[in-house]
Amino acid sequence: MEPRTYKTFSTWTKADRSDYEKPFTYEDRTYYIPAGEDWFAVKATAGGSKTPALLVFDKEGGAWKLTSAVYSEAPIPAIDTGDHGLATAVAPSTRVGTLAPNDVSAAFEDLYETGGKKAGAGISHTTDPAKDALKLYKERDTFDLAKWATKKYFAKDPAYGTTYALRLADGGVLAVVPTAHTQETLLKQQYMGSFEINPNKQESVYNPAKRALVTDTFQGMTLATLPKSGKPSVIAYEYRMTDSK
């Protein structure tokens, strides 16, 4: 038998490993099952946290799959279950007040893209998610590389395109809406050919090369309330970078 050879290699630091969650279970679960649909929602907390999440499970390939999980620091409003205990699904294209659930993504992404001057004017600007998006828009000219580069945001079709909506006890609608945008950092014309942008640690996972244009893709989910009258509100959101080139 030939002798074995072994090779050592470096691993992540303890600090890097701590960024990843330990296994957990969902607790305090309340199920919302809409009649006649192949999906259902669950309101729950996770891992001892008091922050509630709205989870959506949909049928895929004959099995149930968790398709979204949005954690909300804001209270999740009461979902209508009527006298029969079942929830009521609302078609995402159905107008509720001023917008339909399918319109929420374009309106929310417009906060990043134009500061809410176009489609974003149709939703509330007073919720924490809206304020966060508007803050990024306002800071696009004051970031670290602002002297040498511009930063802009552009709405993008989300990779997962299904919106889920349920009737609320007050007659409004609660919707889980997929959303996405790109963040583009581009060298100003006068610096082209002389400088390149170093991607940060997260961007380098996808592309470590220095370049004149860095385009990051962020896929996300929003939790929105659409009242019977007045502007919809995005009350919670989640984004993850999924690409950088």
Side-chain angles (χ1 to χ4, degrees):
M1 178 181 294
E2 294 184 4
R4 293 176 181 265
T5 57
Y6 297 91
K7 182 178 180 181
T8 61
F9 54 91
S10 60
T11 61
W12 284 357
T13 66
K14 185 176 181 181
D16 286 336
R17 294 197 302 271
S18 69
D19 290 338
Y20 285 78
E21 293 283 352
K22 294 183 173 66
F24 64 88
T25 58
Y26 287 108
E27 302 166 347
D28 303 320
R29 299 181 293 272
T30 303
Y31 291 81
Y32 299 100
I33 302 174
E37 300 291 331
D38 283 336
W39 62 273
F40 65 92
V42 183
K43 183 171 73 172
T45 58
S49 169
K50 293 184 179 180
T51 302
L54 192 71
L55 319 173
V56 175
F57 294 83
D58 203 343
K59 271 283 186 69
E60 185 172 301
W64 294 107
K65 180 180 180 180
L66 176 64
T67 56
S68 67
V70 186
Y71 291 80
S72 178
E73 296 291 343
I76 296 176
I79 296 170
D80 180 29
T81 54
D83 297 329
H84 43 62
L86 295 176
T88 301
V90 176
S93 59
T94 302
R95 190 182 180 93
V96 183
T98 59
L99 293 179
N102 274 347
D103 299 325
V104 171
S105 177
F108 187 60
E109 293 300 346
D110 186 62
L111 303 184
Y112 294 94
E113 193 167 351
T114 75
K117 297 179 182 66
K118 295 181 180 180
I123 62 172
S124 170
H125 291 189
T126 63
T127 63
D128 285 344
K131 290 177 181 177
D132 290 345
L134 291 170
K135 184 173 184 287
L136 282 179
Y137 173 77
K138 291 174 183 176
E139 292 178 348
R140 72 196 186 286
D141 295 326
T142 59
F143 68 110
D144 291 345
L145 298 177
K147 179 180 177 180
W148 300 278
T150 59
K151 181 180 289 186
K152 294 182 180 180
Y153 299 87
F154 298 94
K156 180 180 175 66
D157 290 336
Y160 185 80
T162 303
T163 293
Y164 302 93
L166 292 170
R167 184 73 62 191
L168 291 172
D170 64 5
V173 166
L174 180 69
V176 179
V177 184
T179 194
H181 63 252
T182 58
Q183 172 187 287
E184 297 189 3
T185 306
L186 175 66
L187 278 178
K188 293 179 179 178
Q189 189 64 39
Q190 61 267 37
Y191 299 115
M192 289 285 186
S194 301
F195 300 96
E196 289 182 305
I197 300 171
N198 282 314
N200 62 31
K201 184 177 179 181
Q202 190 177 12
E203 292 164 339
S204 295
V205 171
Y206 299 97
N207 184 356
K210 298 178 182 180
R211 48 202 188 268
L213 170 64
V214 176
T215 302
D216 301 331
T217 298
F218 294 87
Q219 298 285 344
M221 285 281 176
T222 65
L223 188 61
T225 57
L226 293 87
K228 291 187 293 184
S229 61
K231 294 181 178 182
S233 295
V234 174
I235 62 172
Y237 71 116
E238 302 270 354
Y239 277 109
R240 294 292 184 272
M241 182 188 291
T242 60
D243 192 21
S244 181
K245 58 185 181 181

